[in-house]
Amino acid sequence: MAALILFGGGGDLAMRMLLPSLYFLDHDGLLPDGLKIIGAARSEESAEEYVAKVHEAVKARAEADGGWSEISWARMKARLDYLAVDATDPASLAPLKAKCGDGEVTSFLAVSPSLYGRIVTAMKAAGLAEKNCRIVLEKPVGRDLESFLEIDDAVAHAFDERQVFRIDHYLGKETVQNLIALRFGNTIFEPLWNNLTVDHVQITVGETVGVGDRWPYYDEYGALRDMLQNHMLQLLCLVAMEPPSDLDPDSVRNEKVKVLRSLRPITLEEAERVTVRGQYVAGTSEGKPAKGYDEERGQASDTETFVAIRADIDNWRWAGVPFFMRTGKRLPEKRTEIVIQFKPVPHSIFDHGDRGAIEANRLVIELQPEEDISLSVMNKKPGLDQRMQLQPIKMSLSWGVNGKDAAPPRRRIAYERLLLDAMHGDSTLFVRRDEAEQAWKWVDEVSEAWSGASFKPLDYVAGTWGPEAADLLLSRTGRKWNTRDE
């Protein structure tokens, strides 16, 4: 019998994402027959009490998504169990091992990464790291290269690399996977995906929420380590990587590592020109007054809540093409998108003015709040004008398989795909150790440059798109962010 153990099974991630994902997989008949789902946490509660909490969390999410079924819940309920454990103590894990038996075991560590080393050591001693076991680690692992290696060395001592699945939930999003299909399944895009036709790339991850009571964690990590080190660099890799020879997990991840190794280091001398740090101050967010970060924290801090960076990839495909990344809290929109900005036509045969100015083609890959891929192209305005007039139009490339007028399919939680892949041992959408190492190495160089230059965060008012310096990052090169409110 196969088992899935959720360490931290009563926590926010498990209740909000993992258990609803497992319910939807069960609802669609995708979970293996006989799979047992075991919550493991410090809380001294009975299995019945735990199942009741899971029921409440899963039903609320499923009803909101229109997928609640008593029959599906009954099937999932039969899989659920709970055990109160100290996950760092091998003796405490012995009953958990007994519940799992000798079948395949996948363990998801939905706990603080600072506990990973002690937990995997205890798992190995308790027999939960055998050849038929897998472990899923939530990122970010560590807060710099040194702490990552310390934690990951402990993981490597307990598990072989093929058993380790470092999860980045952005890679489970449908549109991110569609990016791979768009690039490598069509002859019309891949030949244009280079420095001959692409002017620049933008990656934006905007959040309207503040840090709030998460400030103890956030004060240690900041926007650079919390978002850019994992989510944004993974998106950059998928945009910039060379075509893999096939979809074998190592073929894909080999190409991503090459991108990370090609990132130009950001030195102390370059930091002010190519990076921006920001921290929100009091303002208005989503129509309501919003406190500044210092007010939420209770005292002054140099932690950045916004970061914008120009990254350059020093290889033949992308030489001269800047990749602009920005992410922050208390921005005007909750939005995650990738913008591929193509170069303008080399010579326009159309007059400007009443004929309309030519706009360069732009491919926008939206990940949230909607998931869509759209392409802006120039088109003749309808009518009998004697002289041709132009207008830009936007074509959606993500209408879905059921046709334009059909109801869109339920948007799956990103963890659904990733949990399924982990249980099946497919590591394509997971992060390999050398990937994480290279990402931390580059981010550490940025952090060290900031420290060496005493690079303090610039203020920006809550509800705006960060410090003015973030706009200057592009405008000094004649470009601008894809900001809808402009």
Side-chain angles (χ1 to χ4, degrees):
M1 179 185 296
L4 173 64
I5 304 171
L6 300 179
F7 287 98
D12 178 70
L13 177 62
M15 290 294 175
R16 189 168 48 87
M17 291 291 181
L18 304 181
L19 288 157
S21 295
L22 291 166
Y23 164 82
F24 284 120
L25 291 173
D26 207 357
H27 178 68
D28 294 337
L30 297 174
L31 290 185
D33 292 338
L35 175 71
K36 197 162 193 170
I37 302 169
I38 306 171
R42 288 182 178 272
S43 177
E44 291 289 347
E45 59 185 328
S46 67
E48 291 75 18
E49 290 171 325
Y50 178 72
V51 170
K53 283 168 53 178
V54 174
H55 175 265
E56 183 180 347
V58 166
K59 185 175 183 181
R61 179 64 184 262
E63 285 182 337
D65 287 358
W68 177 251
S69 162
E70 292 291 345
I71 296 173
S72 297
W73 166 249
R75 189 165 60 244
M76 181 175 174
K77 181 180 178 181
R79 300 179 184 273
L80 286 170
D81 201 351
Y82 177 80
L83 195 64
V85 300
D86 175 358
T88 65
D89 179 5
S92 183
L93 293 179
L96 188 58
K97 166 62 177 172
K99 279 184 178 289
C100 295
D102 296 324
E104 289 189 349
V105 179
T106 303
S107 298
F108 193 117
L109 300 193
V111 298
S112 169
S114 63
L115 297 173
Y116 286 177
R118 294 165 61 195
I119 291 175
V120 296
T121 301
M123 291 175 68
K124 182 175 178 63
L128 289 170
E130 302 300 315
K131 297 297 183 184
N132 62 342
C133 297
R134 304 183 184 98
I135 188 163
V136 184
L137 306 176
E138 183 73 22
K139 293 177 65 189
V141 179
R143 69 176 302 277
D144 52 24
L145 180 59
E146 182 181 0
S147 57
F148 166 76
L149 291 175
E150 183 180 344
I151 294 170
D152 218 60
D153 283 348
V155 173
H157 182 70
F159 294 89
D160 292 337
E161 178 63 24
R162 64 176 181 79
Q163 298 173 277
V164 181
F165 294 76
R166 298 172 192 83
I167 201 167
D168 186 330
H169 71 270
Y170 269 46
L171 300 186
K173 290 181 176 291
E174 191 72 28
T175 312
V176 172
Q177 296 162 55
N178 250 336
L179 173 58
I180 298 174
L182 187 77
R183 284 195 60 188
F184 305 129
N186 298 282
T187 58
I188 61 173
F189 287 110
E190 183 55 25
L192 305 178
W193 214 267
N194 54 54
N195 58 4
L196 299 178
T197 51
V198 174
D199 178 80
H200 71 279
V201 177
Q202 299 178 23
I203 302 175
T204 293
V205 179
E207 298 180 275
T208 57
V209 298
V211 175
D213 58 8
R214 289 183 68 235
W215 72 260
Y217 161 83
Y218 205 83
D219 219 45
E220 183 180 1
Y221 283 78
L224 179 70
R225 294 181 174 94
D226 182 51
M227 291 297 296
L228 193 136
Q229 184 274 334
N230 48 78
H231 302 321
M232 300 190 80
L233 286 183
Q234 283 295 313
L235 296 179
L236 181 145
C237 285
L238 290 176
V239 171
M241 72 182 189
E242 295 296 320
S245 57
D246 51 42
L247 282 180
D248 178 79
D250 278 334
S251 297
V252 174
R253 297 190 292 182
N254 286 344
E255 300 305 331
K256 289 161 65 181
V257 171
K258 290 178 186 177
V259 173
L260 293 170
R261 287 177 175 163
S262 299
L263 283 173
R264 184 183 303 169
I266 293 179
T267 63
L268 184 140
E269 294 75 22
E270 288 283 285
E272 189 170 0
R273 186 180 69 85
V274 300
T275 73
V276 177
R277 293 183 82 195
Q279 186 184 103
Y280 61 83
V281 297
T284 302
S285 179
E286 298 182 305
K288 299 177 181 178
K291 293 181 178 179
Y293 179 69
D294 282 354
E295 295 175 82
E296 291 176 334
R297 187 179 182 276
Q299 63 187 68
S301 167
D302 286 341
T303 300
E304 78 280 353
T305 62
F306 175 94
V307 60
I309 288 184
R310 170 181 170 152
D312 288 273
I313 300 172
D314 291 332
N315 62 21
W316 278 32
R317 180 184 287 263
W318 296 114
V321 178
F323 283 69
F324 297 102
M325 297 180 283
R326 64 173 173 173
T327 183
K329 303 283 189 183
R330 289 291 186 214
L331 301 185
E333 296 178 48
K334 180 180 175 64
R335 190 205 319 171
T336 300
E337 70 178 16
I338 304 167
V339 178
I340 314 296
Q341 180 65 60
F342 293 94
K343 292 180 179 179
V345 294
H347 171 71
S348 174
I349 65 172
F350 305 97
D351 294 330
H352 297 297
D354 60 352
R355 290 194 180 187
I358 288 183
E359 297 180 13
N361 302 132
R362 172 177 287 186
L363 183 69
V364 180
I365 301 155
E366 297 179 72
L367 279 71
Q368 63 179 14
E370 302 300 325
E371 293 194 46
D372 190 25
I373 299 176
S374 60
L375 178 66
S376 295
V377 299
M378 296 306 298
N379 177 60
K380 179 192 173 297
K381 285 185 178 179
L384 298 176
D385 303 287
Q386 287 186 318
R387 306 185 75 187
M388 187 176 292
Q389 293 183 314
L390 299 180
Q391 65 180 2
I393 63 168
K394 185 178 287 189
M395 301 184 298
S396 173
L397 305 178
S398 300
W399 284 334
V401 296
N402 296 321
K404 181 179 178 181
D405 299 323
R410 177 183 68 82
R411 185 190 300 176
R412 290 194 178 274
I413 304 170
Y415 283 97
E416 293 179 47
R417 169 67 183 268
L418 297 172
L419 283 167
L420 206 58
D421 283 357
M423 287 187 285
H424 288 158
D426 184 345
S427 57
T428 305
L429 296 176
F430 294 83
V431 179
R432 203 168 61 192
R433 175 174 171 131
D434 53 348
E435 279 185 75
E437 282 187 39
Q438 288 296 323
W440 274 124
K441 180 182 178 184
W442 191 75
V443 164
D444 279 359
E445 290 168 345
V446 175
S447 182
E448 288 163 10
W450 285 350
S451 298
S454 298
F455 207 50
K456 304 294 184 184
L458 302 171
D459 289 348
Y460 66 96
V461 177
T464 64
W465 281 106
E468 290 183 11
D471 292 326
L472 290 173
L473 189 66
L474 273 75
S475 63
R476 70 167 64 104
T477 68
R479 303 174 174 100
K480 65 178 182 178
W481 292 106
N482 182 44
T483 302
R484 296 186 183 95
D485 59 4
E486 290 182 343

